[in-house]
Amino acid sequence: ASEPLYVDSTSRPISVNPATGDLIVVDTINIDQLKVAVGKNAGLTGQIGGATAVGQLAGQTDQAKNSVAVGFKAGQTTQGSGSVAIGPSAGNSLQNTNSIAIGNSAGTLGQGRDCIALGNTAASGSQGDGAIALGGSAGNISQGAGSIAIGRNTASSSQPANQIFISAAGTALNGVQPSALYMTPIRGLAHGIGVGVMKYDPVTFEITYSTT
């Protein structure tokens, strides 16, 4: 059986509108028909319909439509429409349209359009449009537009535009050429086809290089 909801108008800052279902706890909870903000100062100013902010200071200022910010300071300032920021300080400032930042401080500052940053501090400082950083500290500082960094600490500093760097080394490695492919490790074997010549094994699917 349903029960009536009583609202004491003198008990602010808590208010409920039975007609619309809006629930507001000032600076902490703001749930209405269009958007959701849960947490101290979450979705505080300029939150647009369709946006969701959960966590202290999440989506605090200018969170655009259909965006999601979950975690302390996630998507805190100017989160673009359709973007996702999950994790403490993920997508913290100037996360652009349709971008994804998942992980502690992933995509923290200036994540461009259509970007992906996945991992602790992945692309944490300036990620160009369409760039992808996967792995802890991958593409960490100034990742160029259209670039891809895969692996922990891969292309961690100033990755040029349209560069692909794939590494399982775990150490900080950086390539200097734009529009280039870097990959490590690649195993060397005595194939006898010329030093440095690449070989693909269709049985094991491994790519190696010849040492002889």
Side-chain angles (χ1 to χ4, degrees):
S2 61
E3 295 291 338
L5 175 64
Y6 296 98
V7 179
D8 184 354
S9 61
T10 66
S11 65
R12 295 184 181 276
I14 300 173
S15 63
V16 178
N17 187 333
T20 64
D22 293 357
L23 169 63
I24 298 174
V25 180
V26 174
D27 291 341
T28 306
I29 300 175
N30 191 338
I31 301 174
D32 62 30
Q33 294 177 325
L34 298 178
K35 55 189 183 296
V36 175
V38 179
K40 182 70 174 178
N41 290 325
L44 183 65
T45 304
Q47 187 187 36
I48 305 300
T52 300
V54 179
Q56 183 181 1
L57 300 174
Q60 182 184 17
T61 305
D62 296 330
Q63 186 183 27
K65 65 180 180 179
N66 302 325
S67 57
V68 177
V70 179
F72 176 64
K73 291 187 176 181
Q76 184 179 10
T77 305
T78 314
Q79 186 182 28
S81 61
S83 290
V84 176
I86 300 177
S89 294
N92 176 260
S93 179
L94 302 175
Q95 185 186 31
N96 224 310
T97 305
N98 299 321
S99 288
I100 298 172
I102 300 177
N104 181 22
S105 297
T108 299
L109 177 62
Q111 189 180 31
R113 292 174 177 267
D114 306 313
C115 290
I116 298 174
L118 177 59
N120 178 43
T121 70
S124 65
S126 180
Q127 188 178 30
D129 291 348
I132 298 173
L134 306 179
S137 295
N140 180 253
I141 299 174
S142 186
Q143 186 181 28
S147 289
I148 299 173
I150 300 177
R152 184 170 177 264
N153 292 317
T154 300
S156 58
S157 179
S158 300
Q159 185 179 26
N162 304 311
Q163 182 192 92
I164 300 173
F165 204 135
I166 302 173
S167 172
T171 56
L173 297 173
N174 297 285
V176 298
Q177 297 297 326
S179 302
L181 171 64
Y182 294 79
M183 187 180 298
T184 187
I186 297 176
R187 198 160 60 107
L189 295 174
H191 293 304
I193 57 176
V195 176
V197 175
M198 306 290 290
K199 182 179 180 180
Y200 171 70
D201 190 323
V203 177
T204 65
F205 311 110
E206 184 183 12
I207 297 173
T208 58
Y209 72 92
S210 179
T211 59
T212 57

